[in-house]
Amino acid sequence: MTSTAPKYSRMTSEQRSASLVQAGLACLARGGILEFTIDNICNEAGVSRGLITHHFKSKDGLLVAVYRAMYERLHAGLEAPNPKKSRLLAILDAMFAPEFFSREELNIWLALWSEIVNNPALKREHRRQYTRYRRDLESALAEVATARGRTVDVKSLAQMLIALVDGLGLERCIEPKLLSPKAAKQICVSTLELALGPL
């Protein structure tokens, strides 16, 4: 006799948390912060409302986890080795790779950034992640500057690079046809070369 009972896949707590984060990312990519509702996230993940409270305590807790996940993806991309290029050029390649510089990805960043000012927990997470990001860039910039015997304020240069990348991302998000990833990367390379010389 064939059973007609539905089959459920059991997930570990870690897997369930990850699935909720992915559902949150999908909602942000689809409609920004207005789409990031408990009902939408639960529908996307196929779970009950209580699981968000169970795993993250609140919707804000999930939002912080989503922000952290975005940065973890970015850190992983920046740390990927490329033996054929300097660490700095490998980082620039990663910054403008399709998976990071797509309109969908940029929509998620914009939605998250818009909430930082009004969300203390998100602001704290931003400070932690941004500091790590900036220091990674400072280290890569210092390697190039030291190898060339140049005196460079790497902290300011890293901050400038982050602001430039974010601004280019905003421009691409608003009007993708006006700025390709290749053109955006070249703008950053040209700007860095003013301080570091040809890359």
Side-chain angles (χ1 to χ4, degrees):
M1 181 175 177
T2 305
S3 171
T4 58
K7 296 180 179 179
Y8 297 99
S9 61
R10 289 189 174 273
M11 290 187 179
T12 65
S13 179
E14 185 176 299
Q15 289 171 331
R16 182 62 73 194
S17 295
S19 74
L20 287 167
V21 168
Q22 290 305 311
L25 287 167
C27 289
L28 288 173
R30 186 166 56 240
I33 204 67
L34 294 177
E35 190 78 9
F36 193 84
T37 67
I38 289 178
D39 285 340
N40 287 342
I41 294 162
C42 290
N43 287 336
E44 183 74 29
V47 300
S48 64
R49 292 171 60 92
L51 279 178
I52 289 180
T53 304
H54 175 72
H55 288 283
F56 301 100
K57 297 183 179 178
S58 66
K59 188 177 79 169
D60 277 353
L62 176 57
L63 189 65
V64 169
V66 165
Y67 194 72
R68 187 182 305 121
M70 286 292 286
Y71 259 107
E72 287 302 325
R73 281 161 43 174
L74 178 60
H75 293 314
L78 298 186
E79 291 166 3
N82 186 335
K84 296 181 180 180
K85 292 189 175 183
S86 70
R87 184 173 163 219
L88 180 58
L89 283 177
I91 284 175
L92 289 171
D93 282 347
M95 283 177 162
F96 296 102
E99 61 267 32
F100 294 125
F101 208 64
S102 68
R103 192 169 190 183
E104 180 181 72
E105 193 84 354
L106 294 168
N107 281 343
I108 296 172
W109 281 118
L110 288 176
L112 291 167
W113 289 336
S114 71
E115 287 298 295
I116 290 173
V117 174
N118 300 313
N119 188 316
L122 195 60
K123 183 180 287 187
R124 287 192 296 272
E125 186 63 28
H126 168 73
R127 286 173 179 162
R128 283 193 291 270
Q129 298 295 341
Y130 175 85
T131 298
R132 178 183 170 190
Y133 179 35
R134 193 198 71 227
R135 286 175 178 167
D136 283 347
L137 292 178
E138 287 175 17
S139 175
L141 291 164
E143 286 177 10
V144 176
T146 300
R148 298 180 176 194
R150 289 178 176 252
T151 301
V152 176
D153 181 351
V154 292
K155 181 177 180 180
S156 295
L157 193 57
Q159 289 173 320
M160 182 203 67
L161 177 58
I162 291 170
L164 183 56
V165 172
D166 291 348
L168 292 168
L170 176 60
E171 184 173 347
R172 179 162 172 77
C173 194
I174 294 170
E175 189 50 75
K177 293 180 181 178
L178 296 182
L179 183 69
S180 69
K182 182 178 180 181
K185 177 188 169 186
Q186 187 54 51
I187 289 170
C188 290
V189 168
S190 299
T191 301
L192 289 176
E193 286 181 338
L194 295 175
L196 298 171
L199 297 177

